[in-house]
Amino acid sequence: MWKWFHRLASPPHLYRTAAAFAPWFAFAAALLIGYGLVDGLVFAPPDYQQGDAFRIIYVHAPSAWLSLFGYTTMAVAGAIALIWRIKVGYAVAAAAAPVGASFTLSALVTGSLWGRPMWGTYWAWDPRLTSELILLFLYFGVISLRKAFEDPNRGDRASALLGIVGFVNVPIVHFSVYWWNSLHQGGTVMRLGKPEMPGSMLWPLLAMLAGFMCFFGAVLCVRVRGEILSRERQSTWVREVVSA
Amino acid sequence: MHEPAVGLTAEKIHVWRGDRHVLRGVSFAARPGCLLHVHGPNGTGKTTLLRVLCGLLRPESGVVRWGGDPIETIRSEYQRAMTYASHEAALKGDLTALENLRYAVGLKRRVPDAQLRTTLERTGVGLCADLPARVLSAGQRRRVAMARVLAMRSTLWLLDEPYTNLDAKGGDLLTALLDEHVGAGGIALVVAHHALPLTGAVDRLELAA
Amino acid sequence: MHEPAVGLTAEKIHVWRGDRHVLRGVSFAARPGCLLHVHGPNGTGKTTLLRVLCGLLRPESGVVRWGGDPIETIRSEYQRAMTYASHEAALKGDLTALENLRYAVGLKRRVPDAQLRTTLERTGVGLCADLPARVLSAGQRRRVAMARVLAMRSTLWLLDEPYTNLDAKGGDLLTALLDEHVGAGGIALVVAHHALPLTGAVDRLELAA
Amino acid sequence: MILRSGFWAMGGYARFVWPSIGFALAILAWNVWSARRHHARALVRVRRAIQMARSEES
Amino acid sequence: MSAAETDVGLLRGIGLVLARELRLGFRRPDQLLQPLVFFLIVTTLFPLALSPLTSLLRAMAPGVLWVAALLSSLLSMETLFKADADDGTLEQLALSSQPLGAIVVAKTIAHWLVSGAALVAMSPLVATALSVPPRALPTMLASLALGTLTLSWLGAIGAGLTVGLRRGGVLLSLIVLPLAMPLLIFGASATDRAIGGENPAGALYFLAALCVFTTSLGPLAASAALRITLE
Amino acid sequence: MSAAETDVGLLRGIGLVLARELRLGFRRPDQLLQPLVFFLIVTTLFPLALSPLTSLLRAMAPGVLWVAALLSSLLSMETLFKADADDGTLEQLALSSQPLGAIVVAKTIAHWLVSGAALVAMSPLVATALSVPPRALPTMLASLALGTLTLSWLGAIGAGLTVGLRRGGVLLSLIVLPLAMPLLIFGASATDRAIGGENPAGALYFLAALCVFTTSLGPLAASAALRITLE
Ligand code: HEM
Ligand SMILES: Nc1ncnc2c1ncn2[C@@H]1O[C@H](COP(=O)(O)OP(=O)(O)OP(=O)(O)O)[C@@H](O)[C@H]1O
Ligand SMILES: Nc1ncnc2c1ncn2[C@@H]1O[C@H](COP(=O)(O)OP(=O)(O)OP(=O)(O)O)[C@@H](O)[C@H]1O
Ligand SMILES: [Mg+2]
Ligand SMILES: [Mg+2]
């Protein structure tokens, strides 16, 4: 296990692994998202309370999920890199940040569009909503801190540290609906035991969740490859790979 | 004065800093083709004198004249004719060496980038032209500052310890440039702690403690 | 290595800055009583090397050892034994020269103000002891920095162009101090562009372009 | 079935449903585009570095 | 070469300094966005700190918007001359043959372009989040545009006076904020009246007058201030 | 001399750095007052920008107080390491034989003493001007005291991360403000509840917990940040 971990941590190996995985992720993502969209938008019955507006869930929940998953990926990769001095960790963290930020934006926008018919307003200063907005700011902070350094090594380490410090916000986003009485509804899918949703609504949602995760994986693979290339541009293996 | 009023003259410059009477009636005349080597122990007012001469500091008493006129009265003409290089290299860290030159020299005369590149090559930092000044080494920054002085094509150079941080080759280059400038009828005031190995004549102005 | 592990050694230090491979496998050993004169043209990595040696910069590869141990592993011990003087004088403008010394040296060893004043007098800036560092001249700032190095009483001195801005007397003083330090079994690494006129033996480390 | 007008109307919520689907898909598309551009730029940087190294050698 | 051939005119000088400032700004695009982000963050802080009742929000919105604009403009103002003073390039600019006033004008305009103008462009979004009704947006935009330009000039004077002082930033706010008070009062009241459906023309005219006044005297005052502190 | 005789212990080291910071602060007493004056100005700007109805003012007061405290603390935070980094003394401090954490602790405490503590002491005056009833003052004082200390630690982390960057100040706020938002929410709500006569204990406990948390982890994180940026 430890050996495998170390092998993966070598840049050329991760570079090749990412290349091998990317098309599979992309393929799975296309299938799952395609199925989820069609089944969710066309075949699933309208919600008895929300009518057809509930269909926004098929993009909102996966986006919101990825916003948290992306941040977690970034923080964990950064922590691994900082603690064990594993350089590819920084590459993964740098690759995850913009992707996660984009899904945070997507969660905010789709959520607001959903909020208007449900709560009568696009925006409210509700704990879940606010903490999600803070998450976006944190992403921005991490990204611009990395860019603010001339020396990429220092930028990597500084933004990894900030990512770790900012991680406190992730549980806040997730649990805010339980800790405070919130406009936003609590977990429906991830509840242990029986989900309260009928299968006809649930299956496309699960497909979308899985599809978005695969999509994240595919994009991350491509970005990690790019990060590794430009970080290792002085090394001989990159030169061989590129000039070949 | 019965001599023709050309070049830079200073008459009885007095400057106090805090409670110290730093410059106590400094006078000199520097005519075209003259290099004035300003020297003296640390803290005797060489930098202070140069700042007075370039008009950044107003002396308590005394006049600085350029071509016979007090410099305050002909400020823009004087500033066109003069270039000052201070203790620090005065470069913008976020701009490249070339851009630094472009925006500094460009305010004095129109100059194409190609010419600035040539000047940078001449002072030995042609390869650093497109690096941000922030990452340059101390000596490279000095060389860029030297290129700026050159590119200004001013008559009067006021240089505060220009040999600082330069390697042996850089020092020789600077000496050659000073020789050339003075030989072509320019005026240079140079602060330095060691003797200047110029081929031409060197006047010396000693500031005593 | 079969020799006893004392002093400062560097093994195959590699450093990249931007796209430049600045230090390409620098190695040396400096034993007690040794002065290492680091020289080479501008921009060849002398300052970079000194920052690696004092632990402010992590090299891409290579180790710096103090008494045989890598310096990261014995950081606080190493920092107690070492003093670094950078290109700039590193003084707080709002504090007086004496206060600057007090707060810098005081973190390494307990030292009464009277002793610091004596050190300042020794480096020729006793009269500036109570002036804020902001108003000091370039050479006076250097001399205060020199006093700081002296007052630290460290075994290892890392000095980056310490002769900068010093007048002739100041240069001689510095040479004498270096001689004394090395003579008493200290180690000094000195970056300078000219030959060092020391009486003792001087090792040379040349960084090539 | 898709062609029935009720589908596009989304039960009166078309104004909210379609923009959010559209925005989410746009984010997906942006991610694909920017990841590919990121990779292409990295390649350019590597090529430039190789060139610089060659010119330094010669 | 003849003097005429190579002489640099006033306009060309201003253009050159403007180009320099913009290039410095765009060299770090993320930093260009920072006054904006600051503006956004400060405006989100308020609803957070208050119980977010829409009616209360709407009543506060003009105040919040204007105070945020003021602070954000002020923060970025601090670096107007300070960065140049620290690295010695300000001295070089002052010794160039261009008049100091021209340099001040160029730097201030560049500052407004990269901070004030961007802020104005962003403000409708923020205003909507603070539940300002759409009909008040044109007035708010006009008042903010005039106000931020005036602020840039005031800030230039303050920055000129405080450059070279340690912690000049906070001192700068002490100097500029009192000067900016009338601006704030009239700007907020114009927006407020527009929200309430009243006629905001009076306040807008006053803002315009202030803007013209500072634009004409600002360069003079700022370059005088700079000359004093440079010495 | 023997090592024992001259060695400098941890506490003595912290004390020395603390003395240095305070001396630097008091060398310019006018600048010492600046965060305070900034706090005063921001809190007076609001009533100016709004129609000063007492009821509205009272509803806004906790928010205004807290936002002003946050911004004022943040602004002065910027210079925490920057001034030392610019003149090279931070490097010297880092190379002294004291652990970097100790130096960070000393600097942060000094910062809190000259900005946070002074601000807390001043707040009753401002609160009264914003027509906060006297019965809410103890809660407000307690919450501000806890809050400003927490802020100082958060600020130290942010300042450590951004030291040496151009325009680090705005980046600093981008980093610190999101982290400070929970603080703001709970601080304002504690004050708000106290004004409304409700029990603020819950929010105060939360603030106290945050304060303990940041005080214990802050030095670590801030010195790690500093070590990264110093390189
Ligand atoms: C701007 C507004 C909104 C934001 C920022 C937002 C944010 C989020 C976030 C961050 C999550 C993921 C939570 C987690 O995984 O722990 C989430 C999930 C969810 N949101 Fe929203 N939301 C918004 C509006 C809405 C609205 C209006 C609705 C419906 C009335 C809604 C329904 C849901 C549902 C059903 C989930 C999935 C819950 C689960 O099973 O975990 N959201 N939202
Ligand atoms: N406010 C003040 N109070 C007392 N003395 C001051 C004050 N300001 C400046 N000085 C003194 O004035 C002198 C300024 O000298 P200046 O910088 O011109 O010296 P210099 O000849 O350039 O020295 P160097 O060779 O070291 O560069 C210094 O001796 C300094 O100590
Ligand atoms: N980001 C970067 N990109 C390219 N080159 C860089 C970068 N950062 C530093 N350099 C180069 O690295 C070298 C740093 O050298 P250093 O400052 O150690 O030189 P030095 O030997 O001390 O020179 P000097 O005698 O001038 O003080 C310089 O040549 C500089 O141009
Ligand atoms: Mg001098
Ligand atoms: Mg050097």
Side-chain angles (χ1 to χ4, degrees), chain A residues 150-152, chain B residues 128 131-132 134-143 165-167, chain C residues 16-23 38-51 87 160-161 191 193 207, chain D residues 52:
Chain A
E150 184 66 31
D151 173 13
Chain B
C128 303
L131 284 181
R134 186 175 353 97
V135 308
L136 298 184
S137 81
Q140 287 167 339
R141 294 169 64 85
R142 280 277 148 193
R143 284 160 179 264
N165 299 132
L166 292 181
D167 57 18
Chain C
W16 290 85
R17 305 262 82 182
D19 283 337
R20 278 205 53 190
H21 195 171
V22 179
L23 296 180
V38 182
H39 67 120
N42 289 139
T44 45
K46 303 178 291 298
T47 299
T48 309
L49 178 64
L50 250 59
R51 290 178 66 85
H87 261 300
D160 203 350
E161 307 202 24
V191 176
H193 290 296
L207 297 183
Chain D
M52 255 188 79

Side-chain angles (χ1 to χ4, degrees), chain B residues 25-38:
Chain B
V26 175
S27 305
F28 66 84
R31 251 170 294 281
C34 157
L35 187 141
L36 192 66
H37 175 189
V38 182

Side-chain angles (χ1 to χ4, degrees), chain B residues 51-96:
Chain B
R51 290 179 67 85
V52 167
L53 294 180
C54 70
L56 282 173
L57 196 72
R58 218 177 291 165
E60 252 84 303
S61 71
V63 220
V64 181
R65 292 177 194 277
W66 175 246
D69 303 311
I71 55 171
E72 306 92 286
T73 62
I74 50 160
R75 186 155 225 141
S76 84
E77 185 196 326
Y78 179 59
Q79 294 195 347
R80 234 188 315 274
M82 177 268 302
T83 298
Y84 168 61
S86 63
H87 262 300
E88 25 172 5
L91 302 178
K92 202 82 215 152
D94 279 335
L95 295 178
T96 66

Side-chain angles (χ1 to χ4, degrees), chain C residues 51-129:
Chain C
R51 290 178 66 85
V52 167
L53 294 180
C54 70
L56 282 172
L57 197 72
R58 218 182 291 168
E60 250 85 311
S61 69
V63 219
V64 181
R65 292 178 193 275
W66 176 245
D69 303 310
I71 56 171
E72 303 91 26
T73 62
I74 48 159
R75 188 155 224 141
S76 82
E77 184 197 325
Y78 180 58
Q79 293 194 349
R80 235 190 313 274
M82 178 267 304
T83 298
Y84 168 61
S86 63
H87 261 300
E88 25 172 4
L91 302 177
K92 202 83 217 153
D94 280 335
L95 295 177
T96 65
L98 182 68
E99 286 164 350
N100 263 294
L101 246 59
R102 186 195 301 151
Y103 296 123
V105 180
L107 287 176
K108 249 179 203 175
R109 61 187 196 91
R110 294 185 185 222
V111 53
D113 275 6
Q115 193 178 323
L116 293 177
R117 257 182 217 283
T118 319
T119 317
L120 283 172
E121 268 155 30
R122 207 164 154 210
T123 56
V125 277
L127 290 177
C128 303

Side-chain angles (χ1 to χ4, degrees), chain D:
Chain D
M1 185 169 182
I2 285 184
L3 293 178
R4 85 187 146 90
S5 59
F7 172 73
W8 296 107
M10 275 291 156
Y13 292 114
R15 202 148 78 75
F16 306 110
V17 174
W18 293 120
S20 37
I21 306 286
F23 190 85
L25 292 183
I27 290 285
L28 293 184
W30 175 84
N31 268 304
V32 171
W33 173 77
S34 81
R36 297 176 67 134
R37 192 186 60 153
H38 184 254
H39 192 256
R41 284 192 171 184
L43 278 175
V44 169
R45 282 188 78 177
V46 175
R47 297 228 166 83
R48 207 189 301 141
I50 293 176
Q51 260 179 9
M52 255 188 79
R54 286 216 184 105
S55 70
E56 248 174 45
E57 276 164 23
S58 59

Side-chain angles (χ1 to χ4, degrees), chain A residues 75-160:
Chain A
V76 170
I80 289 176
L82 260 187
I83 296 168
W84 288 293
R85 302 213 178 153
I86 293 176
K87 278 194 160 183
V88 292
Y90 296 125
V92 175
V99 187
S102 72
F103 283 107
T104 312
L105 190 65
S106 172
L108 284 167
V109 170
T110 54
S112 315
L113 284 168
W114 198 357
R116 186 62 226 255
M118 290 305 110
W119 311 328
T121 173
Y122 286 108
W123 186 256
W125 295 98
D126 163 275
R128 161 66 61 89
L129 276 54
T130 307
S131 53
E132 181 78 356
L133 186 64
I134 293 177
L135 189 69
L136 184 67
F137 288 151
L138 281 171
Y139 270 121
F140 284 162
V142 171
I143 293 172
S144 34
L145 186 64
R146 172 176 285 109
K147 283 194 183 147
F149 283 89
E150 184 66 31
D151 173 13
N153 289 329
R154 287 193 301 157
D156 274 340
R157 278 185 279 152
S159 57

Side-chain angles (χ1 to χ4, degrees), chain F residues 113-187:
Chain F
L113 285 177
V114 300
S115 73
L119 192 148
V120 172
M122 175 72 99
S123 58
L125 196 69
V126 176
T128 310
L130 291 172
S131 59
V132 169
R135 70 164 179 280
L137 293 186
T139 305
M140 188 202 68
L141 280 174
S143 69
L144 272 180
L146 290 169
T148 48
L149 187 54
T150 313
L151 262 177
S152 287
W153 286 115
L154 290 180
I157 300 175
L161 283 173
T162 56
V163 66
L165 301 180
R166 199 172 66 97
R167 281 221 227 157
V170 196
L171 191 57
L172 174 67
S173 41
L174 181 57
I175 290 173
V176 173
L177 284 178
L179 294 176
M181 284 193 181
L183 208 66
L184 184 76
I185 295 174
F186 283 92

